[in-house]
Amino acid sequence: MRIILRNIATLLAVVFLFTPYLYAGQANNSITILYDAFGKPSEMKKDWGFSAYIEYGGKRILFDTGNNAEIFAHNVKTKGVDLAKLDFAIASHRHGDHTSGLNHLVRVNPNVKIYAPKEKFGVFGAALPGTFYKRDESLPKEMRYYDGNPPKTMSFGSAWPEGNFSWVTKTTEVEPGFHLIMMKGPWGVDLDVMEISLAIDTPDGIVLIVGCSHPKLEKIIEAAQIAIGKPIHLLLGGTHLLPLNPEQAKNIATSLRDKWNVAWMAPTHCTGEPAFAALKSSFGDRYLYAGLGTTLKLGKTIHAKTETKHLSMQTTTDEVDLQHYRALMKGGHDSH
């Protein structure tokens, strides 16, 4: 009997350990773009910003929420995504074109855990030790903070007080196979942006989802590979190559393909038109169109399906896409 019980315990341990991989072969493993400024004609609304819905290993994850809560809510409903069934959400960084839909998320699912970067003073809330400011005990009590008796911890409010935020301070595995890559990004007009990327450990390699890549793509890729120890199977999201000229974009695209050995490339959001063109040229058949409404089916070979008003398969960015993208980019944060 003891031998039987021991064998059962061993079997259960193995099943638990490999659950993400067991699900990987059975579940609807996919990524759907819920918010962006380009995409084929459909009932979804384009706007500058980013959001993606991820299903992998039996988990449902929301990555960012776009630039406008009403547009985000509309696109979520149009795609039939049930935010009440999320396992967790991620706010990649503090910029409004990635966070404004949080107003809708916390209304429909106030208890969902939202992973967000920890900052000293941040829109997701913050906390500092009560000793962070200098004292002057010669002042009368009414001129001293907290009458001279500050709390041990000073807590600061969030722009979304109903949100169930969990602050991330370092690269962390939050679920088996799901790693939050936490880095600082000194890029652009807003310096020292703390940003989270999501790295999923799959049998085919790392599926890496990035919000805006303020810490720079190369550093994010390197950190993900150190955390998981596998090559990048898919890189999807905002790559922040928007400021680059065509030659610079070409160099980055070549580096991603040849130096960093990225297998599949699906750029979105703040990538920029020269970089779209350079990445498509560099990756060829392994370049995936990921406009608004596109669903990428994950696996050894990744397939992109874009539902339009005519439910047809589309795989390239045409002039209509680019016209929308250019118009919306002008009013976006990343246009600076």
Side-chain angles (χ1 to χ4, degrees):
M1 179 61 73
R2 289 182 179 177
I3 294 175
I4 293 174
L5 291 174
R6 186 161 57 245
N7 289 339
I8 291 173
T10 302
L11 178 62
L12 289 174
V14 170
V15 170
F16 176 79
L17 179 63
F18 288 96
T19 292
Y21 300 103
L22 293 173
Y23 272 117
Q26 301 172 4
N28 176 29
N29 296 323
S30 62
I31 303 174
T32 298
I33 308 302
L34 295 177
Y35 210 105
D36 213 323
F38 71 101
K40 298 297 175 180
S42 73
E43 298 303 320
M44 300 181 79
K45 296 181 180 179
K46 300 181 183 72
D47 186 34
W48 189 263
F50 184 66
S51 176
Y53 174 66
I54 303 148
E55 290 185 85
Y56 189 82
K59 299 294 183 183
R60 300 178 180 90
I61 304 157
L62 179 68
F63 188 97
D64 285 344
T65 60
N67 185 58
N68 179 289
E70 290 184 3
I71 294 176
F72 173 68
H74 170 84
N75 289 349
V76 166
K77 182 178 180 180
T78 300
K79 292 302 290 185
V81 173
D82 189 349
L83 297 179
K85 294 182 178 180
L86 293 176
D87 289 281
F88 61 91
I90 298 168
S92 66
H93 63 295
R94 62 180 177 248
H95 291 157
D97 53 343
H98 294 255
T99 59
S100 295
L102 285 171
N103 292 311
H104 176 67
L105 175 62
V106 298
R107 278 199 300 269
V108 300
N109 193 347
N111 297 319
V112 67
K113 181 176 286 188
I114 305 168
Y115 291 104
K118 179 176 172 56
E119 297 179 293
K120 290 183 178 179
F121 289 97
V123 295
F124 307 113
L128 291 174
T131 56
F132 92 96
Y133 66 89
K134 295 179 180 179
R135 306 316 200 244
D136 188 338
E137 297 183 2
S138 68
L139 290 173
K141 184 170 66 172
E142 62 270 20
M143 290 182 65
R144 302 192 65 195
Y145 300 125
Y146 301 99
D147 296 326
N149 294 299
K152 290 183 178 180
T153 300
M154 298 175 63
S155 298
F156 302 95
S158 162
W160 304 275
E162 302 88 356
N164 178 22
F165 290 103
S166 179
W167 298 329
V168 179
T169 60
K170 60 182 180 180
T171 294
T172 306
E173 186 177 20
V174 293
E175 295 279 353
F178 294 85
H179 299 254
L180 303 185
I181 310 299
M182 174 70 170
M183 302 186 75
K184 181 185 290 187
W187 188 334
V189 295
D190 190 6
L191 299 180
D192 293 338
V193 178
M194 306 303 294
E195 184 168 342
I196 298 171
S197 302
L198 173 63
I200 304 174
D201 184 359
T202 81
D204 302 302
I206 299 169
V207 171
L208 182 60
I209 297 98
V210 292
C212 242
S213 304
H214 288 284
K216 296 188 179 181
L217 274 174
E218 300 93 325
K219 292 184 178 180
I220 298 172
I221 290 171
E222 183 178 29
Q225 290 178 332
I226 290 172
I228 297 178
K230 291 182 178 180
I232 304 297
H233 183 57
L234 168 66
L235 175 57
L236 176 145
T239 61
H240 217 280
L241 303 178
L242 192 99
L244 304 187
N245 62 41
E247 188 61 31
Q248 292 171 323
K250 181 180 178 181
N251 291 337
I252 289 289
T254 301
S255 177
L256 291 173
R257 183 193 64 197
D258 297 341
K259 179 182 177 180
W260 295 103
N261 298 313
V262 174
W264 297 82
M265 188 76 204
T268 67
H269 183 43
C270 56
T271 297
E273 293 177 21
F276 281 144
L279 289 164
K280 188 175 188 302
S281 175
S282 181
F283 280 83
D285 292 341
R286 293 183 290 115
Y287 177 94
L288 297 163
Y289 176 80
L292 179 64
T294 301
T295 295
L296 302 182
K297 297 294 185 179
L298 303 179
K300 186 174 182 179
T301 299
I302 301 175
H303 300 280
K305 181 179 180 182
T306 299
E307 294 184 7
T308 70
K309 288 182 178 179
H310 304 290
L311 298 179
S312 61
M313 180 79 77
Q314 304 287 350
T315 58
T316 59
T317 305
D318 60 21
E319 187 58 31
V320 175
D321 284 333
L322 296 180
Q323 287 175 1
H324 281 290
Y325 186 77
R326 290 165 187 161
L328 293 170
M329 181 185 70
K330 291 179 181 179
H333 172 89
D334 299 287
S335 64
H336 303 292

